């Protein structure tokens, strides 16, 4: 306030407003506080502030390929422990739905997690089924899985093949009651 300005109630702080609201009070209905080790977020954890939004991706082996997929998108940061004394905080607290928390816990056991910080105004969602392996992401055509043609021979009809199995089987069964 400048000298001579009136002191209004909006300029005053109550004694109990010095501490932030309880963690549960910062959660929307249906959300849970999820503590995430900073190691799961990578180096972005050092730069996080309360209110930032985080995306978490998981990479894991699946059917002989290394797959990367979005796990959590636009999850708000609720708390970042003070890194006083030069020590890195051990965990960051995120607001997540119970389903998101379960997905995170399962992915943490089976894959490698990477965190990305998102602009607070960015509400775009990454599709759940984008190209996920490196070859698809950089535009390489997937390998074709050609299966050899199988010829089915019936004792009295050597010319039938697997190209029309329903017809061949019906013909065979009609000729052999």
């Amino acid at each position: 306030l400048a000298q001579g300005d009136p002191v209004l109630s909006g300029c005053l702080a109550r004694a109990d407003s010095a501490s932030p609201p309880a963690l549960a009070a910062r959660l929307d209905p249906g959300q849970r506080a999820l503590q995430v080790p900073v190691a799961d977020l990578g180096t972005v954890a050092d730069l996080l502030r309360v209110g930032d939004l985080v995306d978490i991706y998981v990479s894991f082996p699946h059917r002989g390929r290394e797959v990367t997929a979005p796990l959590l998108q636009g999850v708000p940061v609720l708390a970042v422990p003070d890194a006083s004394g030069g020590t890195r905080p051990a965990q960051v607290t995120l607001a997540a739905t119970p389903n998101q928390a379960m997905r995170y816990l399962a992915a943490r056991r089976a894959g490698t997690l990477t965190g990305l910080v998102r602009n607070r105004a960015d509400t775009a969602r990454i599709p759940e089924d984008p190209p996920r392996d490196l070859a698809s992401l950089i535009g390489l055509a997937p390998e074709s899985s050609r299966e050899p043609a199988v010829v089915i021979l019936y004792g009295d009809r050597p010319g039938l093949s697997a190209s029309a199995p329903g017809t061949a089987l019906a013909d065979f069964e009609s000729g052999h009651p």
Side-chain angles (χ1 to χ4, degrees):
L1 295 173
Q3 184 176 0
D5 285 349
V7 177
L8 303 173
S9 62
C11 299
L12 301 176
R14 296 192 323 233
D16 63 344
S17 66
S19 62
L23 182 60
R26 291 183 267 166
L27 292 169
D28 290 336
Q31 287 185 327
R32 307 295 185 267
L34 174 65
Q35 288 194 314
V36 175
V38 294
D40 289 354
L41 299 176
T43 57
V44 299
D46 296 336
L47 306 172
L48 288 177
R49 301 289 179 261
V50 172
D52 284 344
L53 299 178
V54 176
D55 292 347
I56 299 178
Y57 288 78
V58 61
S59 299
F60 59 98
H62 180 67
R63 296 183 181 168
R65 294 186 142 179
E66 188 69 22
V67 175
T68 299
L71 183 66
L72 304 177
Q73 298 184 54
V75 180
V77 175
L78 291 178
V80 179
D82 184 20
S84 59
T87 61
R88 188 175 187 197
Q91 296 186 332
V92 171
T93 305
L94 305 175
T97 65
N99 186 38
Q100 288 172 324
M102 286 189 300
R103 288 180 66 181
Y104 168 80
L105 295 171
R108 187 164 196 271
R109 294 182 57 90
T112 303
L113 302 174
T114 304
L116 303 173
V117 179
R118 157 189 300 238
N119 184 299
R120 293 178 190 186
D122 182 1
T123 59
R125 307 275 305 161
I126 304 293
E128 295 293 328
D129 58 349
R132 298 175 181 184
D133 60 33
L134 183 57
S136 298
L137 286 169
I138 61 175
L140 296 178
E143 294 179 23
S144 64
S145 58
R146 292 182 58 207
E147 294 185 22
V150 177
V151 176
I152 300 174
L153 300 176
Y154 296 102
D156 63 340
R157 306 223 172 123
L160 299 176
S161 70
S163 61
T167 306
L169 184 58
D171 289 344
F172 177 76
E173 287 177 345
S174 67
H176 296 84

